[in-house]
Amino acid sequence: MDKNRPGRSGCEETWRPSRLLGHSCLERDMAELQLNHTGQRLDHRLRWQGSPALGRSFVDGLELDDGGQLRVRRGGVYRLHIQVTLANCSSSTRAARPPRATLTVGICSPAAHSISLLRLSFHGGCVAASQRLTPLARGDTLCTNLTLPLLPSANADETFFGVQLVHP
C-alpha cells in the first residue's frame, strides 16, 4: 500500500501536515480556475473563479479575493500554468486582422514585491499558453492581464489558470 497516495492514509485524507512512517505529508496548495466572464472588460485584468460546483475548477489552500485574483497563503515553489483563447477568433479572422494581444501573469500585490512572471504573445494566433516554476511568498497575489479590448473565451476548456505547490 502506497502511503503517499491520496486516500491511503489519514494524512492525505485530512490534508494536514503530519509525519507518517518517515514521509512528510504536505497540505495541498493548488487551484485550477476558470474565467469569471461578466461581459465587457473595463481593465486589463482577467478575473477568475474556482469551485467544484462550476465543474473542473477548485481552490485548495489558496484563496481568491473579491476581484477574482489568486492569493498565496503559504510560501514555496509553485508551478503556474495558463491558457487563454481569444473569443471570436478563427483562422479567417486572423487572416483579415491578426490580434496584437499580450497575456501577462505577475505578482501584483504586495506592491513592493510586484514582478512579471510570464509575458506571452499570441503571435497572430488565437491561443497563448505556458507554464513555469516560480517561488511565491505568503501574501503574494497573482494577476493575469490581457490586452484590451480583446475578449478571452469563457469556455473552461479554452481559457484556464492554475497553480500547484511543488516544494515548500
Side-chain angles (χ1 to χ4, degrees), residues 86 89 94 98-99 101 121-128:
L86 298 176
C89 185
R94 275 197 331 254
S121 173
F122 286 77
H123 299 292
C126 297
V127 179

Side-chain angles (χ1 to χ4, degrees), residues 30-35 46-50 56-59 62 64 68-72 79-84 103-107 117-118 130-131 136 141-145 155-156 158-164:
M30 63 180 84
E32 185 66 28
L33 307 172
Q34 65 187 45
L35 190 65
L46 298 178
R47 285 154 175 72
W48 302 96
Q49 59 185 346
R56 294 174 300 228
S57 68
F58 58 88
V59 179
L62 301 144
L64 277 171
Q69 308 308 300
L70 193 61
R71 186 173 308 122
V72 175
R79 182 180 70 82
L80 283 67
H81 65 273
I82 189 166
Q83 175 176 304
V84 172
L103 174 65
T104 60
V105 178
I107 299 169
L117 301 172
L118 286 172
S130 188
Q131 64 179 334
L136 297 173
T141 300
L142 300 175
C143 297
T144 56
N145 298 300
N155 183 324
E158 297 179 331
T159 299
F160 49 86
F161 175 51
V163 300
Q164 178 181 13

Side-chain angles (χ1 to χ4, degrees), residues 11 16 51 80 85 97 101 116 135 139 158 162:
C11 171
R16 298 287 177 239
S51 165
L80 283 67
T85 302
R97 187 189 64 166
S116 178
E158 297 179 331

Side-chain angles (χ1 to χ4, degrees), residues 91-153:
S91 57
S92 61
T93 59
R94 275 197 331 254
R97 187 189 64 166
R100 302 184 127 244
T102 301
L103 174 65
T104 60
V105 178
I107 299 169
C108 58
S109 178
H113 194 62
S114 181
I115 187 170
S116 178
L117 301 172
L118 286 172
R119 184 175 188 83
L120 306 169
S121 173
F122 286 77
H123 299 292
C126 297
V127 179
S130 188
Q131 64 179 334
R132 75 170 288 181
L133 291 173
T134 191
L136 297 173
R138 183 174 191 260
D140 283 350
T141 300
L142 300 175
C143 297
T144 56
N145 298 300
L146 176 64
T147 307
L148 284 172
L150 297 168
L151 294 174
S153 169

